[in-house]
Amino acid sequence: MIPFIGTTLGALCVYLMKNELSKNIERMLSGFAAGVMVAASIWSLLIPAMEDSKSLGRFAFMPAIIGFWIGIGFLLMMDHVVPHLHAGSNEVEGPKASLSKEMMLVLAVTLHNIPEGMAVGVVFAGWLTGEANISLGGAFALAIGIAIQNFPEGAIISMPLYSAGASKHQAFRNGVLSGIVEPIGAILTIIFAQAVTPVLPYMLSFAAGAMLYVVVEELIPEMAEGEHSHGGVMMFAVGFSLMMMLDVALG
């Protein structure tokens, strides 16, 4: 629920702001979210996946590589089979569908929230089973980090919806709904914790691959869009540093 709370608080911004977000602020928020996700993918997911595969010796990287590419492939497939629309774009991705612009914007963020929910769930599952080198503090560090980067994501989805003509209540509701897949995915993963134990390194790296797909395919282009994108780059560094500190301090 921690990441979901972050999304909800971000979506609340639609009630606090009178005007739409400036492009510079959007770039900075995207950069911050990208930095958090990259650091989380490395410290909270890929490194534990390889540490959990030490019995393979010099081939301990194999489960991480395989899971990583499955995660990339999964998000690539979802991008092609689910109709969605990114904020700031009028070009619909995926198959043609008679959905409203509002719904396709929500679907775009929902798609990219799936791996975040799975990441939190699989890390807590690893802690519960005791099979992976994951502490409770490390699991909470990931949940808190995802929640922090979900705050700007909630604002980025609700504010454009309001600017596009939706009421503040509709924009807030849809912003909240875009994050509901995170607790659902996390809870389902935790429920089946014992079942995922044998494939835990693959699951950890799967989540990392899916998250990095989102970063490279969407967040980095958004933070570098237009002129004077230094703010986005600096916020990327802030997000990366914050997540790295959280993981080391709490883990």
Side-chain angles (χ1 to χ4, degrees), residues 92-209:
V92 177
E93 296 185 24
K96 293 183 178 179
S98 56
L99 298 174
S100 67
K101 183 177 179 180
E102 279 183 30
M103 183 53 63
M104 285 193 286
L105 282 168
V106 172
L107 282 173
V109 179
T110 302
L111 266 180
H112 297 161
N113 280 338
I114 293 173
E116 295 171 14
M118 288 187 63
V120 174
V122 76
V123 167
F124 271 96
W127 168 72
L128 284 170
T129 59
E131 296 294 327
N133 188 25
I134 298 172
S135 67
L136 179 59
F140 269 109
L142 179 63
I144 294 167
I146 295 294
I148 292 171
Q149 72 94 23
N150 275 355
F151 181 86
E153 277 193 357
I156 287 173
I157 188 64
S158 64
M159 294 298 294
L161 286 173
Y162 176 58
S163 300
S167 70
K168 287 190 175 182
H169 299 307
Q170 289 173 324
F172 170 70
R173 179 198 64 202
N174 289 335
V176 171
L177 287 176
S178 72
I180 197 68
V181 295
E182 292 193 10
I184 293 173
I187 290 168
L188 287 174
T189 306
I190 292 170
I191 288 173
F192 296 103
Q194 293 297 332
V196 305
T197 297
V199 293
L200 190 61
Y202 298 91
M203 294 286 287
L204 288 165
S205 51
F206 171 93

Side-chain angles (χ1 to χ4, degrees), residues 17-32:
M17 301 179 68
K18 295 181 180 180
N19 302 313
E20 63 182 46
L21 288 173
S22 71
K23 293 303 294 183
N24 192 43
I25 294 296
E26 282 192 30
R27 285 196 293 263
M28 293 173 69
L29 293 177
S30 295
F32 179 82

